[in-house]
């Protein structure tokens, strides 16, 4: 079986496991590529209809393209969307330009989600985090418990051996489930291509720049890139290691190779 | 010995690039390759098929993985990006596990010397030196840095510079002799110094002979003709030296990845596509496919790969899903009318849809039409002004149907192979089952 199909199968298995274990489950959907792939996997896991809500944590500072993409997808995929906004903090004027950015994140993301969980009583949350995103995430499990303060006691989490996911935990906790944990950035793009998934136009290069990951407009900066199609993004990620090296050495190598192929009549 | 426990399964493999079954037969019959002849009598010696598209990087990728191009995603030396820029795939683009990886995972030791499509060199359980198209012998071309030290002893070189053959055949002969001698010497050294279950040395030099000196076999008394036969005599000597050093339980395998035949014409398929109204481009060969004008519907890549410029595949693509099948059928039909300007013989032997030839997850990257030419008509892909039928320095061309496989008596399982791909798959299975 190819890697993508294997990843897909495993993710769908985990999503179905989670659905059967939790009375109230939701998927977090940031409208980015990873969580859009997650929502697609949820659709596939239940033959087209996602049987639980998708939650968009809305700081109100997202890119306009993200809101329009979100609304378009909700209509297209028939999603039960919950928009989680910390209205009280927004009314107080909390934002990226007031105080620390960390405080802004805590109020408009963490607390918005807390309020949402309290309001709807979610016991389990599906998240599209990947192990290769940050060092700390290397310690994540497929099923990672969080307490009411969202603290993650990663030294004391139940072991996962083979595919035995311990999903029963203290009532104090809600469980975070990570069906995409083993996916790499490249896998997500390969999957986008294979499944022909819609992606936010912000990911594609315009004037030599593109967004590699999406968040709030104020705290995201684009990377240098000319990748303007899914294929090119895949190529960019794939050759990323070499692209970081001095461009000149790479050019030389290519020139040499081409000259050789030309002499043999392959060009 | 109980259930084969402790049974030795060591194999020494020699890949003779582009060494045709028919030429091997002639050289053996003519007494030029006595060692090969003896081995052919003792074991199994047969004709096998290459792969489509018939070029070495695809063929050896196929051998290494035991898979077809649709399964590992590489269809030639050059591939097109959606913006019609070209790229040259290397080992990082090769999907599918290689025999080196599979054997290593089972604790088997491998030595792989000079096999195409192994650059950048992967880590292996043993030792690997990249082959064609590794640009230079540096740390990227070896499985670990200490290998470079070993290679310095024999002054190993990756490949001849084929551009030399365009300047002077004398210089080319000199270079080919040097590179090939050092390669064989290196193989013999490593054979003794390393610990291995599978040793595989790839010899690119036979292919270089085929491209630039094929025609001289027809004039055996001329100096160049003599060089041709002497060269294969040296290869035979090498085979003899290898056999001498093998211990009793070790089996020998010799195979080629495609055949060769006389080249009558280089057929420039892009110029044909242009003349037929499927393609238009600026006369600017330096820009390559970037010179293709919008509105074009098809381009060709070497060898005999035709890609329809669909909206899905390429940025300036204009062919819609709806028109795809009819356009493809039309081009395939017209290709039948492509004929030798002198004799009127058809150029194409088989004109195939990609679905006929390829299968697997990378089918969408495959050429829409794959052509197997008749012997003598090398399907090329030059752009720019020029003739449809051309002749140049090259005088031999690849064939699909005339590769060879020779196996020792205890490799009966591998001798069943009918293609390069199967030979690779069965060789891996020989170790793993």
């Amino acid at each position: 079986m190819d890697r993508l199909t294997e990843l897909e199968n495993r993710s769908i298995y985990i999503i179905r496991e989670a659905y059967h274990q939790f009375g109230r489950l939701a998927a977090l959907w940031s409208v980015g590529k990873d969580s859009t792939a997650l929502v697609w996997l949820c659709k596939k896991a239940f033959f087209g209809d996602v049987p639980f809500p998708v939650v968009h944590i809305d700081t109100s500072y997202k890119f306009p393209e993200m809101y329009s993409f979100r609304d378009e997808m909700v209509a297209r995929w028939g999603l039960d969307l919950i928009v989680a906004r910390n209205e009280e903090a927004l009314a107080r004027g909390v934002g990226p330009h007031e105080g620390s950015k960390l405080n802004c994140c805590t109020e408009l993301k963490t607390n918005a989600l807390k309020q949402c969980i309290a309001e709807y009583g979610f016991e389990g949350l599906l998240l599209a985090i990947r192990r290769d995103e940050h060092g700390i995430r290397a310690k994540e499990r497929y099923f990672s418990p969080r307490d009411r303060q969202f603290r993650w006691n990663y030294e004391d989490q139940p072991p996962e051996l083979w595919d035995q996911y311990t999903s029963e935990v203290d009532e104090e906790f809600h469980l975070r489930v990570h069906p995409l944990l083993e996916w790499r950035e490249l896998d997500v793009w390969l999957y986008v291509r294979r499944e022909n998934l819609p992606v936010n136009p912000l990911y594609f290069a315009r004037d030599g720049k593109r967004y590699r990951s999406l968040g709030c407009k104020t705290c995201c900066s684009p990377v240098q890139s000319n990748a303007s199609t899914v294929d090119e993004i895949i190529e960019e990620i794939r050759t990323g290691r070499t692209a970081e090296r001095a461009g000149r050495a790479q050019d030389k190598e290519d020139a040499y190779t081409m000259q050789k192929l030309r002499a043999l009549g392959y060009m | 010995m109980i259930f084969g426990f402790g049974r030795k399964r060591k194999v020494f493999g020699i890949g003779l690039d582009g060494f045709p079954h028919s030429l091997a037969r002639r050289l053996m019959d003519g007494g030029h390759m006595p060692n090969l002849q003896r081995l052919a009598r003792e074991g199994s010696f047969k004709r096998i098929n290459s792969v489509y598209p018939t070029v070495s990087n695809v063929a050896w990728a196929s051998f290494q993985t035991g898979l077809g191009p649709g399964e590992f995603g590489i269809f030639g030396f050059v591939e097109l990006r959606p913006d019609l820029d070209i790229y040259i795939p290397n080992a990082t683009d090769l999907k599918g596990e290689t025999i080196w990886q599979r054997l290593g995972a089972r604790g088997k030791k491998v030595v792989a010397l000079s096999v195409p499509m192994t650059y950048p060199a992967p880590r292996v359980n043993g030792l690997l030196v990249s082959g064609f198209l590794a640009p230079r012998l540096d740390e990227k071309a070896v499985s670990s840095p200490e290998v470079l030290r070993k290679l310095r002893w024999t002054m190993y070189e990756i490949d001849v510079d084929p551009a030399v053959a365009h300047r002077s055949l004398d210089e080319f002969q000199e270079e080919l002799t040097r590179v090939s001698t050092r390669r064989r010497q290196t193989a013999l050294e490593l054979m003794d110094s390393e610990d291995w279950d599978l040793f595989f040395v790839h010899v690119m030099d036979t292919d270089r002979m085929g491209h630039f000196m094929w025609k001289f076999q027809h004039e055996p008394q001329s100096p160049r003709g003599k060089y041709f036969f002497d060269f294969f005599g040296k290869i035979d000597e090498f085979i003899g030296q290898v056999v001498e050093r093998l211990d009793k339980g070790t089996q020998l395998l010799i195979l080629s990845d495609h055949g060769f035949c006389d080249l009558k014409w280089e057929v420039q398929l892009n110029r044909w596509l242009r003349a037929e109204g499927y393609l238009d481009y600026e006369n600017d060969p330096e820009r390559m496919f970037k010179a293709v004008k919008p509105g074009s519907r098809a381009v060709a890549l070497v060898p005999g790969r035709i890609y329809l410029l669909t909206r899905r595949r390429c940025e300036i693509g204009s062919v819609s899903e709806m028109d795809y099948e009819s356009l493809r059928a039309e081009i395939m039909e017209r290709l039948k009318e492509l004929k030798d300007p002198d004799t009127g013989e058809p150029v194409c032997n088989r004109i195939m849809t990609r679905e006929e030839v390829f299968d697997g997850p990378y089918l969408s990257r495959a050429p829409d039409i794959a052509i197997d030419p008749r012997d003598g008509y090398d399907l090329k892909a030059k752009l720019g002004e020029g003739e449809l039928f051309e002749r140049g320095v090259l005088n031999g061309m690849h064939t699909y149907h005339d590769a060879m496989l020779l196996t020792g008596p205890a490799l009966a399982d591998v001798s069943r192979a009918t293609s390069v791909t199967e030979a690779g798959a069965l060789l891996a299975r020989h170790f793993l089952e």
Side-chain angles (χ1 to χ4, degrees), chain A residues 49-69:
Chain A
D49 289 315
V50 185
F52 41 77
V54 295
V55 175
H56 180 223
I57 303 172
D58 181 15
T59 59
S60 82
Y61 291 101
K62 304 290 177 190
F63 292 92
E65 287 93 325
M66 291 175 76
Y67 293 108
S68 54
F69 183 79

Side-chain angles (χ1 to χ4, degrees), chain B residues 38 59 101 147 165 169 173 187 229 240 243 259 373 385:
Chain B
R38 185 168 53 80
Q101 292 163 326
V147 178
L169 276 184
Q173 284 182 197
F229 290 99
V243 172
E385 300 299 335

Side-chain angles (χ1 to χ4, degrees), chain B residues 34 79 111 116 123-124 127 165 181 197 230 249-250 278 314 319 332 335 360 404 428:
Chain B
E79 309 275 2
V111 174
R123 297 214 169 279
V124 295
L127 180 159
T181 308
D197 294 288
D230 282 352
T250 306
Y278 298 113
C314 121
V319 179
M332 289 174 75
L335 278 167
M404 54 79 64

Side-chain angles (χ1 to χ4, degrees), chain B residues 44-56:
Chain B
S44 144
F45 171 66
K46 67 190 288 196
R47 184 193 299 271
I48 58 170
N49 285 332
S50 181
V51 294
Y52 291 124
T54 312
V55 285
S56 296

Side-chain angles (χ1 to χ4, degrees), chain B residues 67-133:
Chain B
L67 302 171
E71 292 165 300
F72 57 70
I74 295 166
F75 300 88
F77 281 116
V78 175
E79 309 275 2
L80 281 181
R81 296 180 201 274
D83 63 356
L84 293 184
D85 209 351
I86 60 157
Y87 73 98
I88 298 158
N90 66 20
T92 55
D93 299 289
L94 177 62
K95 308 300 162 216
E97 239 187 336
T98 61
I99 188 167
W100 334 117
Q101 292 163 326
R102 292 174 68 193
L103 264 61
R106 292 285 194 90
K108 303 275 184 197
K109 287 249 179 188
V110 295
V111 174
L113 179 60
S114 185
V115 183
M117 279 316 274
T118 57
Y119 179 83
R123 297 214 169 279
V124 295
N125 181 27
L127 180 159
L128 184 144
V129 182
S130 305
F132 191 61
L133 279 146

Side-chain angles (χ1 to χ4, degrees), chain B residues 149-371:
Chain B
R149 199 168 32 81
K150 295 180 182 175
L151 296 174
R152 228 170 275 146
W153 286 102
T154 54
M155 298 190 285
Y156 179 79
E157 293 174 67
I158 291 172
D159 194 12
V160 299
D161 178 1
V164 172
H166 292 253
R167 284 203 304 269
S168 145
L169 276 184
D170 285 338
E171 259 182 70
F172 174 72
Q173 284 182 197
E174 220 172 274
E175 175 142 347
L176 190 68
T177 303
R178 189 190 70 239
V179 170
S180 189
T181 308
R182 289 177 180 182
R183 191 189 314 286
R184 299 192 303 262
Q185 196 55 40
T186 306
L188 294 174
E189 299 267 344
L190 292 175
M191 179 181 183
D192 291 338
S193 68
E194 302 303 302
D195 180 24
W196 47 270
D197 294 288
L198 172 64
F199 192 116
F200 196 92
V201 53
H202 172 269
V203 177
M204 185 48 105
D205 320 319
T206 38
D207 176 86
R208 300 299 180 251
M209 279 297 284
H211 281 295
F212 297 109
M213 301 198 69
W214 182 259
K215 65 180 178 190
F216 297 112
Q217 63 182 293
H218 305 308
E219 35 182 283
Q221 299 312 321
S222 74
R224 298 232 191 277
K226 282 206 173 69
Y227 181 84
F228 184 92
F229 290 99
D230 282 352
F231 174 85
F232 285 100
K234 292 270 174 17
I235 299 286
D236 189 68
E237 244 171 62
F238 169 65
I239 292 170
Q241 287 168 315
V242 166
V243 172
E244 241 169 58
R245 287 163 196 241
L246 293 181
D247 46 20
K248 222 166 166 241
T250 306
Q251 288 297 310
L252 186 73
L253 168 130
I254 304 175
L255 87 160
S256 67
D257 61 327
H258 56 80
F260 257 100
C261 69
D262 283 310
L263 189 160
K264 283 184 220 161
W265 289 112
E266 290 181 39
V267 186
Q268 302 298 349
L269 277 184
N270 280 321
R271 291 173 189 161
W272 179 81
L273 285 168
R274 190 190 200 187
E276 296 288 319
Y278 298 113
L279 169 64
D280 199 9
Y281 45 80
E282 313 281 351
N283 182 21
D284 191 356
E286 280 304 305
R287 282 170 65 217
M288 286 186 277
F289 293 93
K290 286 288 204 186
V292 168
K293 289 184 184 170
S296 295
R297 290 178 290 164
V299 294
L301 292 179
V302 176
R305 292 184 283 160
I306 294 184
Y307 289 85
L308 301 195
L309 298 178
T310 59
R311 287 177 197 159
R312 204 185 160 85
R313 168 173 280 146
C314 121
E315 283 164 18
I316 62 158
S318 59
V319 179
S320 69
E321 298 279 319
M322 227 168 67
D323 298 333
Y324 177 87
E325 284 299 344
S326 58
L327 176 62
R328 181 162 73 165
E330 185 185 299
I331 294 176
M332 289 174 75
E333 201 53 39
R334 288 215 210 167
L335 278 167
K336 291 182 190 164
E337 300 307 314
L338 178 57
K339 294 193 172 144
D340 185 309
D342 298 334
T343 64
E345 282 179 274
V347 163
C348 304
N349 174 38
R350 293 181 65 195
I351 304 163
M352 304 163 281
T353 65
R354 72 170 170 205
E355 293 78 10
E356 283 174 69
V357 194
F358 307 109
D359 199 4
Y362 301 98
L363 186 64
S364 66
R365 293 195 209 165
D368 299 292
I369 302 170
I371 309 165

